[in-house]
Amino acid sequence: MTVRILALVGSLRAGSHNRQLAEAAVKLAPEGAEVDLFEGLADIPFYNEDIDVEGDVPAAAARLREAAGSADAILLFSPEYNGTIPAVLKNAIDWLSRPFGASGLKDKPLAVVGTAYGQYGGVWAQDEARKAAGIAGAKVLEDIKLSIAGSVVRFAETHPSDDAEVAAQLTEVIGRIHGEATAPVAA
């Protein structure tokens, strides 16, 4: 069985180091795991219950919900903006949290990783993303963490997939998510 892991990147910038980290995850996914990098978070309107109407959900939000619905697990890549989660990633979580009781994240294994310029690698934003995703119904994998500090310097001339340490850590993260997604559910 192939485990489908939906990757959402909280940075819209073309040269984003978090996007590069997600591209590395796609490339490094071990056998039995497939990482699908979602495109289109920028196209999703801010969550508004007035436009979240059954049969008339904005197309970009519907695509996100469909992608999450067909995924076995979720992997969020979060930079840190002013000490917290980027709005685009929070918006994705908000859309996936609805409709109430039928969250696209409900009981799905979810991990948060990322890189940031600061010395802590974006841990505050990652903690906020875990909190929001957990409230939205995800099975947050609290012990799976990867915060890479100094992204601007570390990845100035090296893609994350070509950084041996990062590649090994990311491969381990994906392997652990795979294990959680295929673990028997306790009765």
Side-chain angles (χ1 to χ4, degrees), residues 28-104:
L28 298 169
E31 187 172 335
E34 178 181 304
V35 178
D36 297 322
L37 179 54
F38 185 82
E39 301 288 352
L41 287 185
D43 302 327
I44 301 171
F46 282 113
Y47 185 79
N48 176 343
E49 199 169 350
D50 291 343
I51 63 172
D52 188 6
V53 178
E54 187 175 344
D56 197 28
V57 172
R63 281 192 324 99
L64 174 64
R65 286 179 173 168
E66 182 180 312
S70 64
D72 300 302
I74 312 288
L75 181 55
L76 305 180
F77 292 84
S78 185
E80 189 168 276
Y81 291 176
N82 299 312
T84 193
I85 183 174
V88 69
L89 196 53
K90 176 63 168 66
N91 190 48
I93 292 169
D94 291 345
W95 275 102
L96 291 174
S97 73
R98 306 285 188 196
F100 186 76
S103 166

Side-chain angles (χ1 to χ4, degrees), residues 29-187:
E31 187 172 335
E34 178 181 304
V35 178
D36 297 322
L37 179 54
F38 185 82
E39 301 288 352
L41 287 185
D43 302 327
I44 301 171
F46 282 113
Y47 185 79
N48 176 343
E49 199 169 350
D50 291 343
I51 63 172
D52 188 6
V53 178
E54 187 175 344
D56 197 28
V57 172
R63 281 192 324 99
L64 174 64
R65 286 179 173 168
E66 182 180 312
S70 64
D72 300 302
I74 312 288
L75 181 55
L76 305 180
F77 292 84
S78 185
E80 189 168 276
Y81 291 176
N82 299 312
T84 193
I85 183 174
V88 69
L89 196 53
K90 176 63 168 66
N91 190 48
I93 292 169
D94 291 345
W95 275 102
L96 291 174
S97 73
R98 306 285 188 196
F100 186 76
S103 166
L105 299 175
K106 186 166 177 48
D107 299 326
K108 290 195 188 232
L110 179 141
V112 183
V113 300
T115 185
Y117 177 69
Q119 65 181 337
Y120 302 111
V123 295
W124 292 345
Q126 293 171 32
D127 287 344
E128 292 291 322
R130 285 183 195 91
K131 176 183 160 189
I135 291 169
K139 177 185 170 191
V140 177
L141 306 174
E142 295 283 350
D143 63 330
I144 298 178
K145 296 182 179 178
L146 178 59
S147 302
I148 305 163
S151 61
V152 173
V153 175
R154 183 160 192 166
F155 303 125
E157 296 181 19
T158 304
H159 192 281
S161 62
D162 296 326
D163 181 313
E165 179 184 19
V166 170
Q169 292 170 329
L170 196 52
T171 300
E172 179 183 343
V173 163
I174 298 165
R176 292 185 62 204
I177 294 168
H178 179 274
E180 288 289 334
T182 58
V185 177

